[in-house]
Amino acid sequence: MAKLRLNNKEIKSIFGLLGDKENDISFSVAWALSKCPVFLKEFIKGALHLNVNPEDISINLQHYEKRRGITDIELELPGQFFVIIEAKRGWHLPGRQQLNKYARRKSLLRSSAPLKKLIVLSGCSNEYADINLELKRIGCLKIDPISWQEVAVMAKRSKSKSSHAEKRLLDEILIYLKEVIDMQRIDSNWVYVVALGKVVPRRWRISYFDIVEKKRYYFHPVGGNGWPKEPPNYIAFRYHGRLQSIHHIEGVEIVTHMHRKIREIPDQEWGPHFLYKLGRPFAPPNEVRVGKIYPNGRVWCMLDTLFTSKTISQSRDTSKKRWEEKDI
C-alpha cells in the first residue's frame, strides 16, 4: 500500500489529516462517538455509569459563550445529563480559573438535567489527576478525569458489537490515538538531569545509584521543591563530575508505598512519588562535564544539546536560549 505523507509526516489514519493539536483530537474523537453508537454508549457508561440509548444524545463542538470561553465537546441527553468535556494533550490539567468559567456557563446552569459533569480528558493517569486537579466539584458540577488511554480501551471494547463500517472507523481512531496522544510528552526532547549519589540513606539497604543501575528505577516527589509536576520523557544522571547516562522513561506510576516496589526501602507510607521505569541507558560519545551547576542541582536540557555541548550547564543555557527564541 502506498504511503501518504503530509508535510513530510506519514499519515496512518484518516484522522491524521486533521493534525494533532487539542482541537484536532477533540474533533476526531467526537466524530467517532457520533458515528459509532456502541462507542458512545461505552463512553457514557464509563464516564457517567449510565446505560442509555446513544441515539438520543446530542454532541456539540466548540460551543462559545461570552466571557465563559469555548467548550471542546458537550454531550447532552435532555432530562438525564449534561456533560462538558475539556480535552488536553499530554499531562496538562485545566486550572481553577478555567474550571470556574465552565461552571458558570448559561447552558449548564439552565439545563434541568439531574447529572451535570465536567470530564477532563488528558494523558494523565487517574492517580496523577486526583492529586493535581485543583477542583473536584463546583456547586452542582462534578469534575472527573479520564485518560486518553481509557478512551482507547473503550474504543477497543466497542469493536465486537459494532458494524463492519464502525469497526473500520474505530480502528482508524485507535491508530490516531496511539500516534498523537502524548501519554508522556512523547514529542518532547527535554531531558531532566539529576545528580545521583552512592550513599545509602539511613535504614535503607540500597542507594539511589543502585536503584538506577541495578533495578532501572528512579523516583521523586510529585511536584514541590522544584520537582516536576508531570513526568519528563527523558531523564539523565550525573555523578563523578560528568554526565553518565540518559534514559527514556518507559513507564510511570504514582506510588505512596515505595517498599512494595523496592523491598530494600523501609516499609512506611510516603507522600505521592513518581516511580519511573527506565529504558536502556545511552549517552553522548564524548565526555560531557557538569560545568556550573550546584552539587545537587537539577536542570532541564534539550536532548540534542547534550550531544553537542561540552558541559551540562552549557546544554542547559543553550536549551533555555533556544526556547526563549522559540527556535524549536
Side-chain angles (χ1 to χ4, degrees), residues 50 184 260:
L50 294 176
Q184 294 181 54
R260 295 172 184 171

Side-chain angles (χ1 to χ4, degrees), residues 49-62:
H49 309 292
L50 294 176
N51 192 3
V52 299
N53 182 357
E55 302 295 335
D56 298 329
I57 298 172
S58 64
I59 303 175
N60 295 310
L61 292 171
Q62 299 284 288

Side-chain angles (χ1 to χ4, degrees), residues 213 237-246 281-283 288:
E213 294 290 323
F237 302 103
R238 62 179 180 88
Y239 52 89
H240 297 332
R242 63 186 180 90
L243 178 70
Q244 297 287 343
S245 64
I246 305 170
F282 63 97
V288 181

Side-chain angles (χ1 to χ4, degrees), residues 200-207 210-211 214-215 217 219 258-267 270:
V200 178
R202 184 173 174 269
R203 296 181 57 211
W204 290 26
R205 292 181 287 111
I206 193 170
S207 67
D210 286 335
I211 290 171
K214 296 181 180 179
K215 295 183 177 289
Y217 279 131
F219 56 83
M258 200 62 67
H259 175 75
R260 295 172 184 171
K261 296 292 182 177
I262 303 173
R263 307 300 292 182
E264 295 88 346
I265 292 176
D267 186 2
W270 289 18

Side-chain angles (χ1 to χ4, degrees), residues 191-195 236-239 241-246 284 287-293 297-302 305-306 309-320:
V191 182
Y192 191 52
V193 185
V194 303
F237 302 103
R238 62 179 180 88
Y239 52 89
R242 63 186 180 90
L243 178 70
Q244 297 287 343
S245 64
I246 305 170
E287 183 177 81
V288 181
R289 305 297 298 179
V290 170
K292 297 179 180 179
I293 299 176
R298 306 184 295 269
V299 299
W300 289 93
C301 301
M302 290 183 178
T305 65
L306 287 171
S309 302
K310 293 182 179 180
T311 65
I312 298 173
S313 60
Q314 182 186 4
S315 170
R316 173 201 60 195
D317 296 342
T318 300
S319 301
K320 183 179 179 181

Side-chain angles (χ1 to χ4, degrees), residues 48 71 81-85 96 98-105 107-109 113-120 135-144:
L48 305 181
T71 53
F81 63 77
F82 188 101
V83 176
I84 295 173
I85 298 176
R96 184 181 298 267
Q98 186 176 9
L99 295 173
N100 277 311
K101 274 188 177 182
Y102 287 149
R104 297 197 301 270
R105 292 179 68 84
S107 56
L108 177 73
L109 296 174
L115 176 57
K116 299 178 181 181
K117 183 177 282 192
L118 171 64
I119 294 172
V120 179
L135 297 171
K136 304 296 176 62
R137 178 182 288 274
I138 306 174
C140 65
L141 182 66
K142 189 179 180 184
I143 304 167
D144 279 345

Side-chain angles (χ1 to χ4, degrees), residues 56-313:
D56 298 329
I57 298 172
S58 64
I59 303 175
N60 295 310
L61 292 171
Q62 299 284 288
H63 184 195
Y64 170 77
E65 283 189 15
K66 189 176 181 179
R67 291 190 294 274
R68 298 293 180 265
I70 302 174
T71 53
D72 291 326
I73 305 172
E74 292 181 6
L75 305 177
E76 185 175 11
L77 183 57
Q80 292 202 43
F81 63 77
F82 188 101
V83 176
I84 295 173
I85 298 176
E86 170 66 13
K88 293 293 186 184
R89 194 179 191 281
W91 289 63
H92 300 288
L93 295 168
R96 184 181 298 267
Q97 184 177 1
Q98 186 176 9
L99 295 173
N100 277 311
K101 274 188 177 182
Y102 287 149
R104 297 197 301 270
R105 292 179 68 84
K106 292 179 181 179
S107 56
L108 177 73
L109 296 174
R110 290 172 180 170
S111 172
S112 61
L115 176 57
K116 299 178 181 181
K117 183 177 282 192
L118 171 64
I119 294 172
V120 179
L121 295 180
S122 75
C124 303
S125 66
N126 285 341
E127 296 92 342
Y128 177 86
D130 284 339
I131 294 168
N132 290 281
L133 197 58
E134 294 186 33
L135 297 171
K136 304 296 176 62
R137 178 182 288 274
I138 306 174
C140 65
L141 182 66
K142 189 179 180 184
I143 304 167
D144 279 345
I146 295 179
S147 71
W148 288 114
Q149 189 172 6
E150 290 178 89
V151 176
V153 170
M154 293 173 188
K156 288 179 183 177
R157 196 182 296 138
S158 304
K159 289 177 61 177
S160 63
K161 297 181 181 179
S162 298
S163 68
H164 291 301
E166 291 162 1
K167 285 178 181 177
R168 288 193 293 270
L169 184 59
L170 289 169
D171 283 335
E172 293 281 341
I173 197 68
L174 285 168
I175 292 170
Y176 178 72
L177 287 175
K178 183 178 180 180
E179 286 190 330
V180 304
I181 301 307
D182 186 6
M183 300 297 181
Q184 294 181 54
R185 289 164 54 182
I186 290 169
D187 60 350
S188 170
N189 73 333
W190 285 96
V191 182
Y192 191 52
V193 185
V194 303
L196 202 59
K198 292 189 175 183
V199 175
V200 178
R202 184 173 174 269
R203 296 181 57 211
W204 290 26
R205 292 181 287 111
I206 193 170
S207 67
Y208 277 96
F209 179 87
D210 286 335
I211 290 171
V212 170
E213 294 290 323
K214 296 181 180 179
K215 295 183 177 289
R216 291 275 177 86
Y217 279 131
Y218 185 74
F219 56 83
H220 65 73
V222 177
N225 294 323
W227 291 106
K229 293 182 179 180
E230 58 182 270
N233 194 30
Y234 293 95
I235 192 164
F237 302 103
R238 62 179 180 88
Y239 52 89
H240 297 332
R242 63 186 180 90
L243 178 70
Q244 297 287 343
S245 64
I246 305 170
H247 303 255
H248 180 257
I249 293 177
E250 303 290 348
V252 184
E253 294 180 68
I254 292 188
V255 176
T256 57
H257 214 110
M258 200 62 67
H259 175 75
R260 295 172 184 171
K261 296 292 182 177
I262 303 173
R263 307 300 292 182
E264 295 88 346
I265 292 176
D267 186 2
Q268 62 188 52
E269 196 77 12
W270 289 18
H273 278 63
F274 281 133
L275 176 65
Y276 302 138
K277 180 62 178 176
L278 306 177
R280 296 183 65 177
F282 63 97
N286 55 295
E287 183 177 81
V288 181
R289 305 297 298 179
V290 170
K292 297 179 180 179
I293 299 176
Y294 291 113
N296 292 321
R298 306 184 295 269
V299 299
W300 289 93
C301 301
M302 290 183 178
L303 180 60
D304 62 306
T305 65
L306 287 171
F307 282 76
T308 57
S309 302
K310 293 182 179 180
T311 65
I312 298 173
S313 60

